Amino acid sequence: MIKQLITGIGMFCLFFLTLAVSETSAQESTNLKEGKVSYITGENIYVRFASTEQIENGDTLFVQNENGLVPALLVNHRSSISCLCAVIGDHKFSVDDVIYSRLGNTPLQQIKEAQQQLPEQDVNEQVLTTVEQEKVASRIQEINGRLSMSSYSNFSDEGDDVHRFRYTLSAKATNLAQSKLSAETYISFTHKLNEWDVVKEDLNNALKVYSLALRYDINESATVWAGRKINPRIANVGAIDGLQFEYKFKNMFAGIVGGSRPDYQDYGYNLDLFEYGAYVGHSTKTENGFVQSSLAFFEQRNTGNVDRRFVYLQHTNSAIKNLTLFSSLELDLYKLENDEPTNTVSLTSLYLSARYRFSRRFSAFASYDNRKNVIYYETFRNYADEVLQQASRQGVRLRLNYRPVNGFIVGTSAGTRFRDADPRPTKTLNGFATWTKVPAINASLSVTANLMQTSYLDGQVYGARLSKDLVSGKLYTMLHYRWVDFQYVNTLTNLQQHIGEIDLSYQFNKKLYLSANYEATFQDQQLFNRVYLNLRIKF
């Protein structure tokens, strides 16, 4: 099996190289995700993408000039559709400038899809939503989307091979037939080889509808949504199946919501999980940025009984030059005591963050996170990355980024968390250094180090990643190596892994993109292999 796998990968690489040699024209690859500058405030640049999947904090964004792709922005923070960035060098930007992000250099395990509860609605996404909604778009029909087909396979010396197939459709249509009606959807279908009976037994195990909604613009101020949609004003509530109405007046906005929550087990429709609520807020532009606040009240039920009643508050602020603040909290107003309902106030979720840019080369970020854990309905993380994610998810964190010279970025972050149920606190210390253009080989090199102490292990993960365009605008490759050492404190066992990864991406044209990713994990004289193939078509 291993020989067959290696042979197959070799043929696949040869296929890529043959295509690269036969192609003489050079154009930008869809391993480049395209975005646009949507908002500029003080020293911060906000870039909006259709999706920030595979973009991570600390990544470099690029602009195109006569010399090709040039590093221009550093991602300080990202949300699901936008990035808050710091300028690299002396670049000047205007709204609607085109920005590029290199794809294909994100580890396979970081590819993840929708989640029941989103993290905080980040500052950049809040601003982008407000700014865009304040612009009255001409009623010109626009339809665009993406169809993706992928396979994900696990091989090992012990057998038990698993082959998983996934098909996704993401589409958005605005002003259908030049009307006030628009639509959006994001749907995925996943199944395993030779396990079609599982799909037939319960379709919701395979079919995930993350978004499926219609929007009607009553006028410039009033909008109504019908279907399943995550409202960016109240993102922490998650997806809502039902009706949502919002009205804007001057710097204020208000909305009402009624419907149900997705089923917590399979993300299907569940009318027993009824919920309703309302929200109000304001958004004001200032000389250096903006100030935005929102307040929401929600009641959620389960089979007719009150499940939860809470207030959600959110505030973003960049009125002070170089300083960006964000805060969100949830206060529960209801609980059962001895099977008797009581009206009480208790803090159940809190997130605070502050980012300050001391200069163009140095910035700092601090946060406190005491929110509920995120539920991922689809994830491809390996064990090492799952441990890292859990260790750094909550608690107090501090991150520093420094750019001593153009093209070279270093950063470090540290965090700690202690809960009453933990026998000892969780501590993390991470560092990275990225050289965006290594001389002679004209490639990007990044080295990372992660040290952690959790309630049950002491761990360290070191890695190096090299990425390069083999054929400019056509063929892109990435090599990644990591060494993992986990020492379990309650046992005498430990885990050591060598993880190697290679990624190849090829652009056929502006609408067709193919990538292949192979990851090998060596552990205790065992070899575990993972292969991820993806074909994406834009329309």
Side-chain angles (χ1 to χ4, degrees), residues 27 32 40 61 66-67 127 138 231 254 336 409-410 431 478 494:
Q27 65 184 48
L32 300 178
I40 301 174
L61 304 183
E66 64 274 11
N67 297 319
V127 174
S138 57
N231 189 328
L336 289 176
I409 305 166
V410 294
M478 182 273 296
N494 66 320

Side-chain angles (χ1 to χ4, degrees), residues 41 43-46 56-58 74-79 82-87 120-125 290 316-327 351-359 362-368 397-401:
T41 172
E43 300 292 334
N44 294 323
I45 306 295
Y46 297 88
E56 299 295 334
N57 295 340
L74 176 67
V75 178
N76 286 331
H77 202 60
R78 74 174 183 90
S79 66
S82 56
C83 295
L84 183 150
C85 304
V87 179
E120 79 280 4
Q121 183 67 7
D122 295 324
V123 172
N124 43 336
E125 189 166 342
F290 65 96
T316 58
N317 191 319
S318 61
I320 301 175
K321 186 177 181 180
N322 297 330
L323 178 64
T324 301
L325 302 173
F326 180 87
S327 61
Y351 180 84
L352 305 171
S353 71
R355 179 181 293 103
Y356 188 76
R357 186 177 184 188
F358 295 92
S359 66
F362 181 57
S363 64
F365 173 83
S367 67
Y368 172 75
R397 296 196 63 78
L398 174 65
R399 184 175 70 243
L400 303 174
N401 287 334

Side-chain angles (χ1 to χ4, degrees), residues 256-308:
I256 56 175
V257 175
S260 61
R261 313 189 299 280
D263 189 274
Y264 62 89
Q265 291 183 321
D266 59 16
Y267 213 70
Y269 291 91
N270 190 338
L271 298 180
D272 290 334
L273 302 178
F274 178 71
E275 65 179 350
Y276 64 92
Y279 61 92
V280 63
H282 77 93
S283 180
T284 304
K285 297 179 182 178
T286 67
E287 180 180 356
N288 294 309
F290 65 96
V291 176
Q292 185 178 94
S293 300
S294 60
L295 170 67
F297 169 84
F298 256 79
E299 180 171 291
Q300 298 175 333
R301 292 179 172 265
N302 191 339
T303 61
N305 300 315
V306 176
D307 189 28
R308 190 180 179 210

Side-chain angles (χ1 to χ4, degrees), residues 221-450:
S221 300
T223 302
V224 62
W225 283 93
R228 172 170 289 185
K229 178 174 175 59
I230 295 176
N231 189 328
R233 307 288 196 188
I234 47 176
N236 274 26
V237 176
I240 300 169
D241 298 329
L243 296 175
Q244 304 184 46
F245 173 81
E246 182 174 289
Y247 187 81
K248 302 187 300 292
F249 45 98
K250 295 184 178 179
N251 292 331
M252 302 292 293
F253 57 86
I256 56 175
V257 175
S260 61
R261 313 189 299 280
D263 189 274
Y264 62 89
Q265 291 183 321
D266 59 16
Y267 213 70
Y269 291 91
N270 190 338
L271 298 180
D272 290 334
L273 302 178
F274 178 71
E275 65 179 350
Y276 64 92
Y279 61 92
V280 63
H282 77 93
S283 180
T284 304
K285 297 179 182 178
T286 67
E287 180 180 356
N288 294 309
F290 65 96
V291 176
Q292 185 178 94
S293 300
S294 60
L295 170 67
F297 169 84
F298 256 79
E299 180 171 291
Q300 298 175 333
R301 292 179 172 265
N302 191 339
T303 61
N305 300 315
V306 176
D307 189 28
R308 190 180 179 210
R309 186 180 296 147
F310 66 97
V311 171
Y312 173 68
L313 297 97
Q314 180 173 283
H315 177 73
T316 58
N317 191 319
S318 61
I320 301 175
K321 186 177 181 180
N322 297 330
L323 178 64
T324 301
L325 302 173
F326 180 87
S327 61
S328 69
L329 64 88
E330 292 182 18
L331 296 171
D332 273 29
L333 308 178
Y334 172 91
K335 70 176 181 179
L336 289 176
E337 291 184 350
N338 299 322
D339 295 328
E340 291 294 330
T342 60
N343 294 320
T344 183
V345 178
S346 59
L347 180 65
T348 54
S349 178
L350 176 64
Y351 180 84
L352 305 171
S353 71
R355 179 181 293 103
Y356 188 76
R357 186 177 184 188
F358 295 92
S359 66
R360 292 193 310 172
R361 296 189 180 276
F362 181 57
S363 64
F365 173 83
S367 67
Y368 172 75
D369 187 350
N370 189 25
R371 298 168 298 171
K372 299 179 180 67
N373 286 326
V374 176
I375 299 174
Y376 294 101
Y377 286 93
E378 297 183 60
T379 179
F380 296 119
R381 289 193 188 96
N382 59 27
Y383 177 71
D385 287 281
E386 182 66 24
V387 172
L388 283 171
Q389 192 272 340
Q390 292 179 358
S392 59
R393 171 66 176 86
Q394 295 175 319
V396 178
R397 296 196 63 78
L398 174 65
R399 184 175 70 243
L400 303 174
N401 287 334
Y402 181 61
R403 180 168 50 88
V405 295
N406 292 342
F408 186 70
I409 305 166
V410 294
T412 184
S413 65
T416 183
R417 178 184 73 227
F418 183 75
R419 297 177 297 194
D420 293 338
D422 293 340
R424 63 175 187 167
T426 294
K427 299 178 182 179
T428 59
L429 178 63
N430 308 315
F432 77 91
T434 299
W435 199 351
T436 58
K437 194 171 183 180
V438 180
I441 61 174
N442 192 25
S444 175
L445 175 65
S446 180
V447 294
T448 59
N450 299 276

